[in-house]
Amino acid sequence: FGDTCLPVVYAPTWASPSMRFEFGQIGSQTCITLWRNHQSNLDLQLKRSFDLVLASCALVLLTPLLLLIALAIRLTSPGPILFRQDRYGLDGQRFKINKFRTMTVLEAGDRSGLVQASRNDRRVTPLGRLLRRWSLDELPQLFNVLEGSMSLVGPRPHAVDHNEQYRQLIPGYMQRHLFKPGITGLAQVEGLRGETATMDAMAQRVEKDLLYQRNWSLAVDVKILLLTLLRIRSPMAY
């Protein structure tokens, strides 16, 4: 292609809108970066400090509500108050996510054939349906934020079995784990929460997660948190 007087443009069919093509050098070798975390050490410290301050304040303010929900779960259905399940976090490392128990079952995250909650799912308790509709089952994840396995804002962590399925089907899926998973995220405030019944629905969610990572700033996190509060009730949360 260098033996021509015309401009040469390469348009790769495999390119994704979430990629950011950057050139660099390793020795004398020119390299092209397709995906990477663009946060500096200062950005990471800023986001972590933001998480710690807000999560601590939220836990202090919400303690009465947390105790009330815990008591209601204990009185209305047999089983533990908290549901803990393996998820993939930063750099693909496993961690235990905390949620209020909303189902009659306690399924392991890496169990083969794990089924997402769907509309009128018989596994969901009456109280659990209310908690899910208002996202109250997610509140114990504030403890995950304090321990450092999650952030307030980031890609939502999926069950391990679902990760293993989708990573083989959606290009760039595992790139979501360049950021800590979040209690809320860009995909959630833009209506892509709840059941992902089709491959296209999951692909759209992943696209939003990667877009968030590419355009991250503390102002973006603040905006997503405010939108989360405004849209906390969701008809798509089953």
Side-chain angles (χ1 to χ4, degrees), residues 22-168:
E22 296 178 347
F23 292 92
Q25 295 285 141
I26 300 180
S28 60
Q29 175 64 54
T30 299
C31 303
I32 304 174
T33 299
L34 303 182
W35 278 299
R36 72 176 178 89
N37 188 341
H38 298 277
Q39 288 179 302
S40 66
N41 287 332
L42 180 59
D43 290 335
L44 292 172
Q45 292 300 320
L46 187 62
K47 186 172 174 63
R48 179 62 180 150
S49 298
F50 180 76
D51 284 343
L52 286 173
V53 171
L54 261 67
S56 299
C57 292
L59 279 172
V60 171
L61 294 173
L62 295 174
T63 293
L65 177 61
L66 295 175
L67 293 174
L68 183 61
I69 293 173
L71 179 61
I73 293 172
R74 175 65 72 189
L75 295 176
T76 57
S77 63
I81 293 171
L82 290 180
F83 169 61
R84 306 186 75 224
Q85 189 182 67
D86 280 354
R87 303 286 170 100
Y88 283 150
L90 182 65
D91 298 328
Q93 299 298 313
R94 288 198 188 197
F95 74 99
K96 292 283 187 183
I97 193 172
N98 297 306
K99 302 181 74 172
F100 279 126
R101 182 177 59 82
T102 59
M103 290 186 170
T104 57
V105 296
L106 298 169
E107 298 170 317
D110 54 2
R111 186 177 71 82
S112 180
L114 194 65
V115 179
Q116 294 184 28
S118 58
R119 188 185 297 274
N120 300 320
D121 196 315
R122 293 185 178 182
R123 297 172 298 169
V124 180
T125 66
L127 176 61
R129 203 172 306 282
L130 176 66
L131 296 178
R132 284 171 171 265
R133 182 61 54 86
W134 289 92
S135 302
L136 297 175
D137 60 317
E138 312 286 2
L139 290 179
Q141 287 159 47
L142 290 169
F143 292 104
N144 285 111
V145 175
L146 290 183
E147 73 179 15
S149 58
M150 292 183 67
S151 178
L152 291 173
V153 182
R156 284 294 297 161
H158 302 144
V160 170
D161 181 59
H162 295 155
N163 257 35
E164 295 303 320
Q165 293 178 43
Y166 289 118
R167 69 186 300 178
Q168 302 176 52

Side-chain angles (χ1 to χ4, degrees), residues 39 43-44 46-47 179 211-218 220-221:
Q39 288 179 302
D43 290 335
L44 292 172
L46 187 62
K47 186 172 174 63
F179 267 51
L211 182 64
Y212 162 76
Q213 293 179 184
R214 179 174 177 174
N215 299 320
W216 178 86
S217 71
L218 197 59
V220 169
D221 276 8

